[in-house]
Amino acid sequence: MKVIEKILFGTGEKGKSADFFWNMCASVVYSFQSAILLFVVTRISGLFVAGIFSISYIVSQTFAVVGSYSMRNYQVSDMKNKYSYGTYIYSRIISTIVMFVTCMVYSLLEGYTGEKLVLIAILCVYRAVDGYEDVYHGEMQKRNRLDVASRIVTYRIVISSAIFAIGVLCTNNIIFSTALLTISAVLLSWGMNAVAISVMDMQQKPQKNQVWKLLFEVAPICIGAFLYSYLVNSPKYAIENILSDDMQTIFNIIFMPVFVINMLSSFVFKPYVARMGIYWNEKKQKEFIKLLLLQVGCVLGITAIVMLAGFILGIPVLEFIYGVDLKQYKLLFMMLLAFGGITALDAFALIVLTVMRLQNVVLVSYIVSLIVDVIFMNSLVIKYHMMGAGLVYGMSMVVILLVSLVGIGMGLVQMKKE
C-alpha cells in the first residue's frame, strides 16, 4: 500500500506544473487507447475482425456518457458545494447501472448477436470503470490534486492496454483479450483509488434525498453529451449499416487523428475548469472572457498545427502503422481534421455552458444537430460513401457550435446585467 501511495502522490509535489504534466499524460493515453487497440487487432487479426471490434468499442463508448453522466465539470465547478461529495458518488452508482442496461437493450434492438454482443457487454463493464472512478477524480481535482487523479488514469490505461495487446498476440482471441482488458482495469482502478481515497480522507456519506435532485439538474448536460457522443460516432453507425466491416476499419483509421486535436485541447481545458467556476460565481466578467479567448486561441493554433502535420505526414504514417492503402482518402482525412477543430470547440463550449449552468442550451444544440444528422446521414453515405459520412459529421459539429455560441453570448449579457 505504501508503494502505491508513493507512486500516486510522488514526493508530495503538487501545483500547476504537476497538474498539467499528469493531465497531459492521462489525456494522451486516453485519446490514443482506441488507436492502439485498433492497431493491435488490425495487425494481428485483420481488417474484418478489427471492424467487429471497432463497432463494439464505439457502441460502448457512446453509452459511456450515460455512466459518467457528464457530471465531472459540474462537480468540479460546484464551488459552493451545493451537493456533497457523497451525493455525487451515490448518483454515479445509479448512472453506471443505467448505462449498462441501456447499452445492452440498444444492442439487442440493433440486432447485434454473437461475438459483437459479447464484446459490447464486456466493454460496457470497462466503461463502467471509467464512469465510476471519475467521480473520485472530480473530488481530487476540487481538492487541487488533479495530478493524482491523472496518474491513476494513466497507469490504469497503459497497463490494461498492454495486457490486452499481450492477450491478442498470444491467443488471437478478441473476446478473451477484451475480458483481460476489463478485468485488469477493474482491479487497477479499485486498488489505486482505494489508496488515494484513504490518504486524502475522502470518505463521506451520501445525502440520499439530494441524489435525484442532482441527477435531474445535470440531466440536460448528460442527454446533450450522449447526443454529442452519438453524433461523433454516427458516421460509423451509418457505415456499419450501409457499407462493410472493412470500410469501418478504414474510416476508423483515418478518423483517429481527429482526436489528437481534442486530446491536445483538453490539456488547455481541464486544469482551468475550477478557475472558470470561480470567475463566473464571483462575476469577474473581464477575467472570465479573457480566459475563454485564451483557450479558443489555443484550440485554433492546435488545429492549424495538426492539419499542417496531417497534410505532410498523416496518410504515409497511418499507412505505415496500420499496413493499409489510404492514398485515395487524403481529401476526406484533411476534411475530418478541420472538423476536428470544430469538435474541440464544441467540447469547450460544453464546459463553458456547464460552468454558466446553462444546461438547457447544451441540450438544444445537440437536438438541432441530431435533426440535421438524421435528415442527411444515410442518404449522403449511400451516395458518397465515406465522404458523405464525413460531410454530415462536419455539418452536425458546426450546428452545435453555432447554437452554443448564441447561448454563451446570452450568458455573458446576463452576467453583465448582474
Side-chain angles (χ1 to χ4, degrees):
M1 184 171 176
K2 287 293 183 182
V3 175
I4 298 176
E5 181 181 335
K6 188 173 182 180
I7 290 171
L8 296 182
F9 288 86
T11 56
E13 79 281 4
K14 60 181 180 178
K16 291 181 181 179
S17 59
D19 284 352
F20 179 83
F21 175 77
W22 284 104
N23 176 57
M24 179 181 68
C25 292
S27 298
V28 168
V29 298
Y30 185 85
S31 298
F32 276 99
Q33 185 184 31
S34 59
I36 292 170
L37 300 185
L38 182 61
F39 162 74
V40 171
V41 178
T42 302
R43 280 293 192 177
I44 297 173
S45 303
L47 285 175
F48 180 76
V49 175
I52 294 173
F53 178 78
S54 293
I55 194 63
S56 303
Y57 192 92
I58 290 162
V59 171
S60 70
Q61 187 178 50
T62 301
F63 282 85
V65 175
V66 179
S68 68
Y69 214 71
S70 293
M71 199 179 286
R72 173 73 170 267
N73 293 320
Y74 186 97
Q75 179 185 358
V76 173
S77 61
D78 183 10
M79 306 310 296
K80 296 180 180 179
N81 295 315
K82 180 177 181 180
Y83 298 102
S84 71
Y85 160 58
T87 301
Y88 283 106
I89 292 176
Y90 202 91
S91 68
R92 199 62 59 90
I93 294 172
I94 295 172
S95 66
T96 49
I97 293 172
V98 172
M99 176 204 72
F100 186 86
V101 172
T102 54
C103 183
M104 296 313 299
V105 169
Y106 169 85
S107 300
L108 290 170
L109 291 174
E110 281 293 302
Y112 294 131
T113 58
E115 195 171 30
K116 280 184 184 177
L117 186 62
V118 174
L119 281 172
I120 290 170
I122 297 172
L123 287 168
C124 261
V125 177
Y126 180 79
R127 295 299 180 185
V129 175
D130 279 342
Y132 185 69
E133 78 170 7
D134 188 62
V135 73
Y136 297 128
H137 297 174
E139 182 65 17
M140 292 175 197
Q141 187 175 353
K142 280 187 73 174
R143 298 187 184 197
N144 297 315
R145 291 312 305 249
L146 177 61
D147 60 314
V148 175
S150 300
R151 281 186 176 101
I152 293 172
V153 173
T154 301
Y155 297 143
R156 173 175 63 80
I157 292 177
V158 169
I159 295 171
S160 61
S161 297
I163 291 171
F164 172 86
I166 293 169
V168 176
L169 184 63
C170 293
T171 69
N172 200 17
N173 186 313
I174 196 65
I175 291 179
F176 176 74
S177 302
T178 305
L180 288 179
L181 170 77
T182 300
I183 292 169
S184 61
V186 170
L187 295 176
L188 287 164
S189 177
W190 174 79
M192 290 188 289
N193 282 297
V195 171
I197 290 167
S198 175
V199 171
M200 297 179 68
D201 190 24
M202 290 167 53
Q203 302 288 352
Q204 287 192 32
K205 292 183 179 181
Q207 300 168 302
K208 292 185 180 181
N209 61 318
Q210 293 290 306
V211 171
W212 294 109
K213 183 180 178 182
L214 171 62
L215 288 171
F216 179 78
E217 190 166 332
V218 185
I221 301 174
C222 176
I223 296 170
F226 175 79
L227 293 176
Y228 174 77
S229 180
Y230 174 82
L231 288 165
V232 168
N233 291 304
S234 64
K236 302 170 187 178
Y237 289 124
I239 291 170
E240 165 76 4
N241 294 330
I242 297 168
L243 303 179
S244 65
D245 285 324
D246 288 1
M247 291 294 100
Q248 182 71 258
T249 302
I250 291 172
F251 188 84
N252 275 278
I253 290 172
I254 61 175
F255 198 80
M256 289 294 177
V258 171
F259 291 101
V260 172
I261 299 172
N262 284 309
M263 173 196 69
L264 295 174
S265 298
S266 70
F267 300 164
V268 181
F269 301 158
K270 192 174 289 185
Y272 292 102
V273 174
R275 187 184 298 183
M276 288 170 63
I278 292 171
Y279 288 159
W280 178 257
N281 287 316
E282 294 181 357
K283 309 301 180 186
K284 294 182 177 179
Q285 188 182 59
K286 185 177 179 180
E287 291 85 350
F288 187 78
I289 293 175
K290 185 178 179 180
L291 193 56
L292 297 192
L293 293 177
L294 174 65
Q295 293 178 85
V296 169
C298 288
V299 173
L300 295 177
I302 289 167
T303 303
I305 293 170
V306 172
M307 287 190 68
L308 179 61
F311 181 78
I312 299 170
L313 300 171
I315 294 298
V317 169
L318 290 173
E319 287 181 331
F320 175 77
I321 293 173
Y322 290 96
V324 179
D325 185 6
L326 302 170
K327 292 181 182 63
Q328 62 180 306
Y329 301 109
K330 185 167 184 177
L331 177 60
L332 173 61
F333 174 69
M334 293 305 300
M335 184 177 71
L336 289 173
L337 286 181
F339 292 150
I342 296 173
T343 304
L345 290 174
D346 289 342
F348 179 55
L350 171 61
I351 293 173
V352 176
L353 289 168
T354 301
V355 170
M356 290 178 161
R357 297 300 187 255
L358 295 175
Q359 299 94 309
N360 291 331
V361 176
V362 175
L363 184 56
V364 170
S365 69
Y366 294 137
I367 290 175
V368 174
S369 183
L370 179 64
I371 293 170
V372 172
D373 184 89
V374 169
I375 292 173
F376 294 104
M377 179 57 75
N378 286 341
S379 60
L380 284 180
V381 172
I382 292 171
K383 188 173 182 179
Y384 298 110
H385 303 288
M386 289 200 293
M387 182 63 76
L391 285 170
V392 179
Y393 165 71
M395 290 167 58
S396 300
M397 296 300 104
V398 169
V399 169
I400 291 172
L401 182 60
L402 293 175
V403 177
S404 297
L405 287 175
V406 171
I408 292 171
M410 291 168 57
L412 291 173
V413 169
Q414 185 62 34
M415 183 186 197
K416 189 173 182 178
K417 288 181 179 178
E418 294 175 357

